[in-house]
Amino acid sequence: MITNAGAFLQLAVIATAIKLLLVPTYRSTDFEVHRNWLAITHSLPISKWYIEETSEWTLDYPPFFAWFEWVLSQIARFVDPAMLVVENLEYASGRTVLFQRLSVIVMDAVLLAAAYALARDVSSDDASSRPGGEGKSKPKKLQGLGLQADVAADQTTAAPATTSHSASIGRGHGNSSIRSESSGSNMRRSIVLFFLLSCNAGLLLVDHVHFQYNGVMMGLLLWSLYAARSGRHLLSGLLFAALLNLKHLFLYAAPVYFVYLLRHYCCEGTVLGPACAEAESGARSSTGKGSSKGSSSTRKGFGLGRVVVRLALLGAGVLAVFGVSFGPFIMMQQMPQVLRRLFPFGRGLLHAYWAANAWAPYAAADKLLAAALPRVAPWLGLDLEKLGLRIEPGAANMAGTGGDGIHVGYGRV
């Protein structure tokens, strides 16, 4: 196990120093977005958090992030109370800028700690899997041999044993050298991994120039992955559920998590689990292609009840996390309004045309439909107004000016 943490600390200090240098740099409209959310969560009751629209930058993140802003606002009131006034649009005093920038830097501690834990875990696994690594070469049990026969054999081969002992000493020195080189290599690998995770250039630009809080959420994602690697699959699922209630854009990873947890947690110890699959494969290779003895013994432990219990436990845990997050708004009968804020189809899901990846074809299809539907609808006998599609002539997308959107000529923000 690598114990030298000095290199990790140096990288963390360097990364933090770079972030401090970026404090006075350019900031985007997201700076005002988060200042407004500080003001909303601090100045208004929870019943108005997802209704308030004095600013165009309405609260559209899940409730856990709203509570995160509320916690920050409890500190912000000691720095500059004026930043917490909802009507103070575009307020950006020196103290406000410094506070919001430092809040991002401080919360990056979650990312740094998770990157450190994950890098150490990955490097330790890599060390144990290498030849000469610790914890991998375990003594095998003797099968079909009597202890007395082994002793007799040793007594009749004393000279070869002496020679073998001398050779083993030489191999011991060689293995020690290999382990030393392997340890150094693993150390370098873990440092590189920590650097790539904690000093990500994209996060530096988006969080510490543009201004957002993606670092703390990426840190929570890494902690979830670390829990999964450590075999704590239920904790991993709960952490990911909490992450979804901080930023719902992580929904893209939900199918992967579902499949992983279904196999590695719910189906663990069954035919569908990874351990039994490996055991069955080993049994087939050792007993021959035509033998089914090993596989049949494995299938006996299917454990449907175990699968159901674990699936119910995982589902209950996830529902509990979502219940804590959305429960107050369900009680206040505000869930439709909250969902409209989280998924603003009326406004248009994209803030601007430079959204990348899978959103690019969505934006293209949106624009083509906005141009084509008003012309095609009369031929098809469709009433767009009754369908809830209010498309203005020359509109940039399907949303038009409906919902919570803001029409800005060539696009929408």
Side-chain angles (χ1 to χ4, degrees):
M1 195 72 175
I2 300 168
T3 58
N4 186 359
F8 297 102
L9 181 60
Q10 290 176 11
L11 283 175
V13 170
I14 292 172
T16 304
I18 293 174
K19 295 169 187 177
L20 289 171
L21 291 174
L22 295 175
V23 167
T25 57
Y26 156 85
R27 57 186 182 272
S28 74
T29 53
D30 274 348
F31 182 88
E32 168 61 16
V33 170
H34 288 281
R35 185 215 61 81
N36 184 54
W37 294 356
L38 285 173
I40 290 174
T41 55
H42 183 269
S43 305
L44 301 177
I46 185 174
S47 60
K48 296 185 178 180
W49 284 4
Y50 288 94
I51 298 176
E52 164 61 35
E53 52 185 17
T54 300
S55 168
E56 61 184 286
W57 312 119
T58 53
L59 180 59
D60 58 6
Y61 270 31
F64 276 5
F65 195 87
W67 284 111
F68 169 73
E69 294 277 8
W70 179 86
V71 171
L72 291 180
S73 73
Q74 303 309 303
I75 305 172
R77 63 193 178 100
F78 296 107
V79 179
D80 187 352
M83 79 172 82
L84 302 176
V85 178
V86 176
E87 291 75 17
N88 280 354
L89 303 181
E90 304 296 335
Y91 185 81
S93 67
R95 290 185 177 182
T96 300
V97 172
L98 184 61
F99 170 78
Q100 290 194 238
R101 290 290 197 191
L102 290 180
S103 67
V104 179
I105 294 174
V106 171
M107 293 311 302
D108 272 1
V110 178
L111 173 64
L112 294 174
Y116 174 71
L118 197 58
R120 290 283 297 272
D121 184 58
V122 170
S123 65
S124 64
D125 278 2
D126 187 50
S128 64
S129 64
R130 288 174 174 269
E134 296 178 2
K136 202 68 178 177
S137 56
K138 297 179 181 179
K140 298 180 180 179
K141 294 182 179 179
L142 296 176
Q143 297 178 354
L145 295 177
L147 178 61
Q148 293 180 351
D150 291 341
V151 173
D154 289 341
Q155 290 176 347
T156 58
T157 56
T162 304
T163 305
S164 176
H165 177 67
S166 300
S168 66
I169 295 176
R171 287 195 301 270
H173 289 295
N175 289 338
S176 177
S177 176
I178 293 174
R179 282 194 295 270
S180 178
E181 293 177 3
S182 177
S183 177
S185 175
N186 294 330
M187 181 67 178
R188 288 190 294 272
R189 287 170 180 267
S190 62
I191 291 174
V192 169
L193 179 58
F194 177 79
F195 172 77
L196 293 175
L197 292 174
S198 62
C199 303
N200 184 285
L203 284 179
L204 286 175
L205 289 173
V206 175
D207 282 12
H208 302 279
V209 178
H210 180 86
F211 193 86
Q212 285 187 16
Y213 289 91
N214 292 297
V216 61
M217 288 177 279
M218 289 300 297
L220 189 59
L221 178 62
L222 293 182
W223 277 120
S224 176
L225 296 177
Y226 175 73
R229 285 182 54 84
S230 304
R232 292 172 286 182
H233 300 113
L234 180 59
L235 175 61
S236 175
L238 296 181
L239 288 175
F240 183 71
L243 178 62
L244 289 179
N245 284 276
L246 279 170
K247 192 166 185 175
H248 53 308
L249 293 182
F250 283 95
L251 274 170
Y252 69 86
V256 177
Y257 263 85
F258 175 76
V259 173
Y260 176 85
L261 292 174
L262 184 64
R263 185 177 186 223
H264 289 265
Y265 176 68
C266 299
C267 298
E268 183 184 20
T270 70
V271 177
L272 302 177
C276 279
E278 293 174 3
E280 183 173 350
S281 176
R284 285 177 176 175
S285 62
S286 62
T287 58
K289 188 174 180 180
S291 175
S292 60
K293 183 178 180 180
S295 59
S296 62
S297 62
T298 303
R299 289 193 177 92
K300 290 179 181 179
F302 181 80
L304 179 60
R306 176 191 179 93
V307 174
V308 172
V309 169
R310 288 205 168 187
L311 184 59
L313 184 60
L314 178 62
V318 172
L319 286 176
V321 173
F322 276 82
V324 171
S325 177
F326 289 96
F329 302 97
I330 295 174
M331 297 291 292
M332 294 183 291
Q333 299 181 346
Q334 290 188 357
M335 274 305 294
Q337 173 63 18
V338 174
L339 292 177
R340 278 194 294 270
R341 286 287 181 85
L342 297 183
F343 303 97
F345 291 99
R347 182 200 70 186
L349 294 181
L350 300 185
H351 282 288
Y353 284 112
W354 52 82
N357 301 328
W359 294 110
Y362 165 85
D366 193 31
K367 186 169 180 64
L368 289 173
L369 286 173
L373 269 182
R375 296 174 174 83
V376 176
W379 296 353
L380 299 177
L382 298 177
D383 188 338
L384 298 182
E385 288 289 336
K386 289 183 179 180
L387 293 175
L389 300 175
R390 293 168 288 176
I391 307 173
E392 293 184 356
N397 56 31
M398 289 284 291
T401 56
D404 298 325
I406 300 166
H407 191 238
V408 292
Y410 185 68
R412 300 173 63 80
V413 292

